Amino acid sequence: MKKCILIFLVTTILFSSCNNYSRKKCTTNEKTITHPKPPKTSGPPRILFIGNSQIEYFVSAPTLFEEFCNANNQPINIDQLITVGVSLDKVYSTNKTEANQNFSNKDKDGNYYDYVVIQEATPVAISEIEKYKANVKMIVEKIHINSPDVAVYIYQGIPPVSYTDSDFTKYYDEMRQIPFQLWDL
């Protein structure tokens, strides 16, 4: 059941990025977030998935998204920086050579990456919000060097307890607030 929910959430997020590139508003808990506007591309869009097991272990979101795009004749380039079980700063340090190479690449349209999906370790996302902000800010600043107009999406989908656990709703509500807490970065 958790895998089905995760697949649905990832698919919904990623398919919405293939949709019309207009600026939309969404409202959650009486707050409004403006969706990122992706840059114009001169070739197939390039997406970077950066995170840990929520992106790759439970279901391979990059592979699944690539297969959906291919099945719909939508060319796409997908890169990944994944290290299972660690926070974003450790994902970066573990993959530092590859990350720095990717972040320094240039594209003729002025943005190497068009979309970035960032996912932090659940314990950091729930209990270390300042570290979470610092990690996201560090990654986004590095990406912005050669992708200044990149559309950044924060993905945090799995509470650390089973949906049958009495704390599930508390963690779920906390995790739904994460984008609002990171919005000012």
Side-chain angles (χ1 to χ4, degrees), residues 12-159:
T12 302
I13 289 168
L14 297 176
F15 269 132
S16 69
S17 68
C18 283
N19 208 352
N20 190 353
Y21 296 144
S22 62
R23 216 159 168 83
K24 302 174 191 170
K25 300 247 182 198
C26 77
T27 304
T28 305
N29 296 338
E30 299 179 13
K31 297 180 184 179
T32 302
I33 293 179
T34 303
H35 290 265
K37 184 179 179 189
K40 293 183 179 181
T41 61
S42 60
R46 184 176 306 277
I47 299 175
L48 171 66
F49 288 85
I50 182 167
N52 60 45
S53 61
Q54 289 183 33
I55 286 180
E56 183 59 35
Y57 178 73
F58 294 107
V59 63
S60 179
T63 301
L64 182 64
F65 185 64
E66 184 174 35
E67 289 175 2
F68 281 137
C69 288
N70 289 339
N72 288 291
N73 296 319
Q74 296 291 320
I76 193 97
N77 293 313
I78 295 183
D79 292 332
Q80 304 178 49
L81 293 174
I82 308 289
T83 303
V84 175
V86 299
S87 60
L88 283 170
D89 56 336
K90 291 191 175 131
V91 170
Y92 173 73
S93 64
T94 301
N95 300 287
K96 193 171 188 172
T97 303
E98 180 183 357
N100 288 337
Q101 174 64 43
N102 286 353
F103 298 159
S104 67
N105 287 336
K106 295 185 179 187
D107 201 347
K108 61 184 174 186
D109 62 25
N111 286 287
Y112 187 72
Y113 287 111
D114 303 300
Y115 301 92
V116 174
V117 178
I118 298 175
Q119 179 261 313
E120 179 61 275
T122 302
V124 173
I126 288 181
S127 62
E128 299 178 58
I129 196 68
E130 292 307 315
K131 180 178 179 180
Y132 190 5
K133 286 180 182 181
N135 288 346
V136 169
K137 184 176 181 181
M138 180 260 307
I139 295 294
V140 170
E141 285 175 350
K142 290 183 180 301
I143 292 168
H144 273 164
I145 293 169
N146 286 312
S147 300
D149 297 326
V150 66
V152 177
Y153 292 89
I154 304 296
Y155 168 69
Q156 203 66 46
I158 302 176

